Amino acid sequence: MLQPYACDPLKSRGRRHPEAPAPARDTFQRDRDRIVHCTAFRRLVYKTQVFLNHEGDLFRTRLTHSLEVAQLGRSVARTLWLNEDLVEAIALAHDLGHTPFGHAGQEALNTCLRNVDPGHAGFEHNLQSLRVVDELEQRYPTFNGLNLSFETREGVLKHCSRRHAERLTASEPGGVAQRFLDHSRPSLEAQLCNLADEIAYHAHDIDDGIRSSLVTIEQLDEVALFALCRRNAQADFPGLDGRRLVFETIRRMLAQQVGDVVAATSELIAVHRPADVDAVRRMPVLVVFSEGMHAQSNELKAFLRSNLYRHPRVVDMTERAKHVVRDLFAAYCDEPEQMPAEYAELRKLYRSVADYIAGMTDRFALREYERITGRQVFA
Ligand code: MG
């Protein structure tokens, strides 16, 4: 039961290496299963979202974040009659290319690559997610990567600079990077994952921020959406406080945002009436917040940026993490034999070192740092 503008597995643009269809699963279900079974997916459990993995057992990791994005995405997809399996596949794969230590790791790796080679295209996690599913996973007899469908890969490549898009399109003409050159849009399922990603991390970063005592409920009351949901929760349940108040407030924030996306998107779809997925690709972005919710979401984003992501404790952690990545990068470039043989390929040494480091979990990177330098980062 899909709308004509949803991605239909029978009309997929296919895989790069042709394969016979699976007997009991459609194309996107098979993609989802391949992602769940891959190595990079299992590593997400020990990769940082905001808090380093060793800080506590209750904070989100990339794995739980990806599951929350999949859950939110699927509920919206179901309501809008979009393809739930495709949404799930994209959501589960969207962060596979993240380095250890979250954005700090990515920034450090990008700087390292550009320092050793000013002409280098650098490191970018969306591109790396595509690289993981296209190249780096090695588990099938006749091809590298997971050989996912065009539609899943299109969703995984969420952002891409013109320079990267030109490079990707040279090796895959009319492929998943083409839209960054001709400014078209991806499928509605891919658009939905972008928004679900944002809704999910805003919500869980509030939860983790309060849990870690880096932000308080009183501070969060500056944010209109939080304050409204907090007040409504306490009006319905007088005396509600502590963790239950936080959960109830966040639950209401999620419900409001999901309801808003469904309403605003349905309205746009009714106006533009896309006949099929290719029509969607030629239209403006259709999976959106209403203007009012867009402003509220931006307010929340700005709050989290200044109060959580730039909190001195988070910044301190971030600086240490960058240090680890920089030292590891230098060490492997000096002595490639410190890496497993399949990475120690000298022809593309910098890229291999970046791939090796990007694939690490937080704790493996810390152990490698200790092994190579004899120093401890968090003594
Ligand atoms: Mg994400």
Side-chain angles (χ1 to χ4, degrees):
M1 286 290 286
L2 294 174
Q3 290 289 354
Y5 41 76
C7 282
D8 180 343
L10 295 173
K11 294 182 191 154
S12 167
R13 290 197 191 174
R15 305 178 187 279
R16 294 203 298 172
H17 310 278
E19 287 184 77
R25 296 168 294 168
D26 73 34
T27 301
F28 304 141
Q29 291 167 341
R30 193 182 204 184
D31 282 359
R32 187 247 349 257
D33 297 349
R34 287 184 175 189
I35 292 158
V36 169
H37 286 281
C38 82
T39 310
F41 184 72
R42 281 194 297 285
R43 288 188 182 143
L44 294 177
V45 70
Y46 293 116
K47 289 196 175 196
T48 297
Q49 189 65 27
V50 173
F51 297 89
L52 291 203
N53 181 246
H54 73 151
E55 291 206 37
D57 291 343
L58 296 175
F59 299 118
R60 264 67 172 190
T61 67
R62 292 262 164 225
L63 181 66
T64 55
H65 162 70
S66 302
L67 294 173
E68 289 180 36
V69 175
Q71 180 275 318
L72 276 169
R74 287 184 58 174
S75 4
V76 176
R78 206 174 305 133
T79 315
L80 294 172
W81 302 103
L82 300 176
N83 194 307
E84 252 185 90
D85 297 310
L86 176 58
V87 166
E88 187 180 18
I90 296 171
L92 295 181
H94 86 284
D95 273 352
L96 289 178
H98 262 291
T99 60
F101 316 125
H103 288 276
Q106 159 175 309
E107 274 172 45
L109 208 47
N110 189 37
T111 310
C112 289
L113 284 169
R114 286 167 187 268
N115 284 347
V116 290
D117 174 6
H120 202 285
F123 184 90
E124 207 271 299
H125 77 264
N126 286 298
L127 223 59
Q128 190 72 7
S129 296
L130 187 67
R131 196 166 152 73
V132 167
V133 299
D134 278 358
E135 294 292 333
L136 298 180
E137 283 288 328
Q138 300 192 346
R139 45 200 313 117
Y140 295 91
T142 56
F143 49 78
N144 282 344
L146 304 177
N147 199 27
L148 302 178
S149 69
F150 176 90
E151 291 75 11
T152 303
R153 297 174 58 242
E154 172 189 46
V156 168
L157 191 61
K158 181 171 153 182
H159 301 293
C160 184
S161 66
R162 185 160 189 99
R163 185 177 171 187
H164 283 302
E166 281 166 358
R167 190 177 50 75
L168 287 172
T169 305
S171 61
E172 188 192 1
V176 288
Q178 183 67 43
R179 78 174 195 269
F180 300 98
L181 300 176
D182 57 21
H183 305 289
S184 55
R185 251 64 52 190
S187 70
L188 294 176
E189 286 81 356
Q191 295 180 27
L192 171 53
C193 285
N194 287 347
L195 212 47
D197 187 16
E198 188 177 314
I199 295 173
Y201 70 70
H202 283 167
H204 61 55
D205 289 350
I206 291 177
D207 183 19
D208 287 350
I210 294 175
R211 191 190 301 279
S212 61
S213 310
L214 296 188
V215 296
T216 62
I217 295 182
E218 290 68 35
Q219 277 176 297
L220 272 155
D221 263 343
E222 290 168 25
V223 179
L225 182 62
F226 182 93
L228 173 76
C229 293
R230 201 260 314 143
R231 278 198 308 271
N232 288 345
Q234 284 178 317
D236 288 346
F237 303 99
L240 186 65
D241 64 2
R243 295 297 305 162
R244 283 178 202 261
L245 174 61
V246 175
F247 290 138
E248 184 57 24
T249 304
I250 292 175
R251 187 174 297 127
R252 286 169 188 240
M253 289 173 73
L254 288 172
Q256 291 240 356
Q257 292 174 87
V258 165
D260 184 88
V261 172
V262 169
T265 303
S266 304
E267 224 172 274
L268 274 188
I269 287 175
V271 171
H272 289 273
R273 303 166 140 287
D276 55 22
V277 191
D278 284 326
V280 165
R281 293 189 173 109
R282 292 188 299 268
M283 289 174 179
V285 172
L286 299 180
V287 182
V288 291
F289 280 135
S290 67
E291 258 175 58
M293 188 56 82
H294 181 68
Q296 299 208 50
S297 169
N298 281 344
E299 186 194 22
L300 178 53
K301 190 191 297 291
F303 174 90
L304 288 170
R305 195 182 307 126
S306 38
N307 294 282
L308 183 61
Y309 311 142
R310 291 188 191 151
H311 189 285
R313 232 181 81 197
V314 174
V315 171
D316 172 62
M317 216 167 59
T318 302
E319 287 309 314
R320 290 171 196 239
K322 285 185 178 171
H323 202 84
V324 171
V325 169
R326 279 198 296 265
D327 286 3
L328 283 178
F329 188 88
Y332 295 133
C333 287
D334 281 353
E335 292 182 75
E337 62 279 10
Q338 295 280 357
M339 296 187 291
E342 71 261 35
Y343 287 98
E345 199 214 323
L346 295 172
R347 201 167 46 87
K348 291 186 205 152
L349 181 62
Y350 301 142
R351 175 51 64 192
S352 297
V353 172
D355 285 338
Y356 184 49
I357 295 177
M360 292 179 181
T361 61
D362 293 9
R363 60 180 194 170
F364 183 78
L366 293 173
R367 276 209 302 268
E368 272 294 275
Y369 179 83
E370 280 181 40
R371 179 181 76 79
I372 287 174
T373 67
R375 295 194 296 270
Q376 285 209 323
V377 199
F378 299 100

